[in-house]
Amino acid sequence: MEVIEVRQANDEFAEMVAQFRVELRSYKGVVSKPNLEAGREEMEDYLSARFPVFAALVDGEYAGYLVCRIDGGVVWVESLFVKTDFRRQGVATALHRKAEEISASLGGDTVYNYVHPNNHHMIEFLRKRGYTVLNLIEIRKPHKDETLTRQITVGEHAFDY
């Protein structure tokens, strides 16, 4: 496996971005299809904003990608995605390690990760890597006609989910 920095948009990478967006929507119960054009546009936005972008290659094939954002010396993992056929083979670990290397080069000792609460695989992955501190809570009003099926308690507060 090889981890490379991505500096230019291409169709294979845009397809992974589009697949990731389909997966993210599925965590909200939304079924969708990959939108290659939107994937390319998102990738170009990351590159034009100079976000560090990396891809993992396995036998020359794109297996996954990582997008970081650096804000005030803090490294945020904006996106970390591994194609289904390459999961549980160390791809996510190699990519996430790259984010940790960037953080260390800036004098940091951690990486901040955006994770959807229903992304149980990513939460488990991060916990195994020592990421156990809940940092932020995003709160909003329900969308019109949204069905909320669970409650999550943080401290003494219960939230619909």
Side-chain angles (χ1 to χ4, degrees):
M1 176 180 7
E2 177 184 15
V3 176
I4 61 167
E5 187 165 3
V6 177
R7 298 183 187 276
Q8 186 174 329
N10 65 61
D11 286 342
E12 286 180 278
F13 196 103
E15 185 177 325
M16 285 193 301
V17 174
Q19 288 174 0
F20 182 49
R21 293 297 157 208
V22 168
E23 190 167 310
L24 287 178
R25 286 189 288 276
S26 77
Y27 298 139
K28 299 176 184 177
V30 176
V31 177
S32 63
K33 294 181 180 180
N35 181 331
L36 186 61
E37 185 177 319
R40 177 179 281 281
E41 185 176 311
E42 183 174 334
M43 181 188 178
E44 289 172 350
D45 287 347
Y46 289 141
L47 293 171
S48 69
R50 298 180 186 249
F51 285 15
V53 177
F54 298 91
L57 301 173
V58 174
D59 297 327
E61 182 180 347
Y62 280 96
Y65 76 94
L66 166 76
V67 176
C68 296
R69 177 175 55 88
I70 301 170
D71 185 11
V74 174
V75 177
W76 290 85
V77 172
E78 292 286 320
S79 301
L80 175 59
F81 175 76
V82 177
K83 289 179 172 179
T84 304
D85 291 346
F86 294 98
R87 292 182 181 170
R88 308 210 51 85
Q89 297 178 33
V91 175
T93 298
L95 289 166
H96 198 266
R97 191 172 293 131
K98 189 55 108 170
E100 291 175 327
E101 289 170 9
I102 294 169
S103 178
S105 75
L106 298 171
D109 61 356
T110 194
V111 171
Y112 291 76
N113 302 273
Y114 287 115
V115 183
H116 191 281
N118 284 343
N119 191 342
H120 301 293
H121 295 294
M122 180 55 93
I123 292 169
E124 181 181 324
F125 167 78
L126 290 169
R127 288 187 66 81
K128 284 180 181 177
R129 293 185 54 75
Y131 289 79
T132 59
V133 177
L134 182 63
N135 190 56
L136 298 171
I137 301 171
E138 184 178 289
I139 302 172
R140 63 172 173 78
K141 289 182 179 181
H143 294 293
K144 181 181 178 182
D145 300 323
E146 181 176 18
T147 302
L148 302 167
T149 59
R150 297 182 4 193
Q151 278 204 330
I152 296 174
T153 302
V154 178
E156 59 189 52
H157 305 282
F159 297 94
D160 295 321
Y161 184 72

